[in-house]
Amino acid sequence: MSAIIEINHLKKSFGENEVLKDISTTVNKGQVLTIIGASGSGKSTFLRCINLLEKPTGGQILYKGENVLEKGYNLPKYRTHLGMVFQSFNLFANMDVLENCMTGQTTVLNRKPEEAKKIAIQNLKNVGMDQFISAKPAQLSGGQMQRVAIARALSMNPDVLLFDEPTSALDPEMIGEVLKTMQDLTKTGLTMVIVTHEMSFAKDVSDHVIFMDQGVIAEQGTAEEIFEHPKEKRTQEFLQRLR
Ligand code: ADP
Ligand code: MG
């Protein structure tokens, strides 16, 4: 197993509020890491620190062994290695589906439009959205928008794809199609970090599960360890509440 991202003693405060308190874990290549925990426990902040949408107040983030928080590290480059899928899709409303999946490729990765288009269409095919290339986001359902957002992220060929509650904003009847898309992705060997409340999905796809509670990792382990034999009282109670 080789580590893509190693997180050592990560801390993040907003003013007096210490939201992440000494978080350490490893994201291994090709693995699916799932983060569960109650609302407010710091899951989104943790993801946002990984891709440096938030600046950690302490600790280390090693990407392929190099500390990305060190002065002089090429952060713009680092960010191109990570993709993010948000709860609220964050598609560009003024662009159609194809443009949404091309723009990062041409502006950030400097790909030629023809190449970017080919890659975008392939990824849209993979999520079942290639019939909609000319649609604007407003014409799509939530599930369709989220699948486009996934195709857009994949079109950047990230090393790691981060998901922050990708199905939480969806009507119940659309959750399945997005989970199915993500489940298919896990089989491609993509490295994924997923914050989710979908426990049966998490149980199915996770190689490693982190349970967060009040800014700390209360427990982490395999899907079986966390879901079948949780050791910590806090984990047991959290899982029980969802039943
Ligand atoms: P979760 O995703 O697990 O629900 P969050 O990471 O969103 O938790 O939030 C954890 C805590 O951090 C909350 O108390 C929240 O108010 C605080 N927080 C998150 N983002 C900010 C911010 N930008 N400024 C101040 N406080 C924040
Ligand atoms: Mg959150």
Side-chain angles (χ1 to χ4, degrees):
M1 261 188 320
S2 71
I4 294 193
I5 301 176
E6 218 183 298
I7 293 158
N8 296 322
H9 307 293
L10 186 76
K11 290 181 186 176
K12 175 65 184 177
S13 299
F14 295 104
E16 298 283 280
N17 186 10
E18 192 175 40
V19 171
L20 299 180
K21 308 162 188 165
D22 201 5
I23 301 274
S24 298
T25 194
T26 303
V27 182
N28 286 309
K29 191 169 162 53
Q31 282 206 331
V32 178
L33 168 66
T34 305
I35 304 169
I36 60 172
S39 175
S41 56
K43 305 181 300 297
S44 295
T45 304
F46 181 36
L47 275 195
R48 294 168 63 82
C49 281
I50 293 177
N51 67 7
L52 299 181
L53 284 173
E54 298 286 359
K55 195 172 179 308
T57 34
Q60 282 187 325
I61 298 175
L62 306 183
Y63 174 74
K64 297 186 174 168
E66 291 188 66
N67 187 2
V68 308
L69 300 173
E70 213 133 84
K71 261 211 176 79
Y73 190 86
N74 188 344
L75 288 185
K77 181 93 189 286
Y78 170 66
R79 289 201 179 92
T80 67
H81 298 306
L82 305 188
M84 180 98 158
V85 174
F86 300 88
Q87 184 175 337
S88 51
F89 326 127
N90 294 12
L91 293 177
F92 304 114
N94 59 329
M95 295 182 189
D96 68 24
V97 163
L98 183 61
E99 289 164 340
N100 262 282
C101 295
M102 286 176 62
T103 183
Q105 296 189 67
T106 53
T107 58
V108 179
L109 302 180
N110 294 318
R111 285 184 185 148
K112 298 226 163 59
E114 313 87 78
E115 190 195 0
K117 184 172 172 181
K118 231 165 91 185
I119 292 169
I121 288 175
Q122 185 56 54
N123 283 301
L124 286 164
K125 260 196 192 127
N126 292 346
V127 302
M129 285 301 293
D130 54 315
Q131 304 295 308
F132 295 85
I133 54 173
S134 306
K136 287 281 176 63
Q139 299 171 292
L140 304 176
S141 73
Q144 290 173 331
M145 280 194 271
Q146 196 58 301
R147 285 188 284 144
V148 171
I150 292 170
R152 178 178 64 176
L154 289 172
S155 296
M156 301 295 282
N157 298 104
D159 269 355
V160 182
L161 192 45
L162 312 173
F163 295 81
D164 193 358
E165 296 197 31
T167 60
S168 292
L170 298 177
D171 292 333
E173 69 271 24
M174 288 164 192
I175 292 175
E177 70 190 56
V178 172
L179 294 181
K180 168 74 169 58
T181 301
M182 292 171 65
Q183 187 141 27
D184 290 347
L185 267 184
T186 65
K187 293 171 192 146
T188 66
L190 180 68
T191 309
M192 298 161 77
V193 180
I194 307 171
V195 173
T196 186
H197 290 291
E198 297 290 336
M199 294 302 147
S200 74
F201 168 77
K203 205 158 143 179
D204 281 351
V205 304
S206 307
D207 297 296
H208 193 75
V209 180
I210 285 178
F211 169 61
M212 285 188 64
D213 185 47
Q214 299 185 24
V216 301
I217 295 178
E219 187 167 353
Q220 58 183 320
T222 63
E224 192 183 332
E225 284 165 347
I226 299 299
F227 291 112
E228 308 291 347
H229 313 286
K231 289 197 192 80
E232 297 288 326
K233 189 143 180 285
R234 287 184 282 182
T235 320
Q236 293 164 2
E237 284 172 357
F238 173 75
L239 293 171
Q240 216 119 66
R241 259 181 277 140
L242 301 174
R243 290 227 170 85

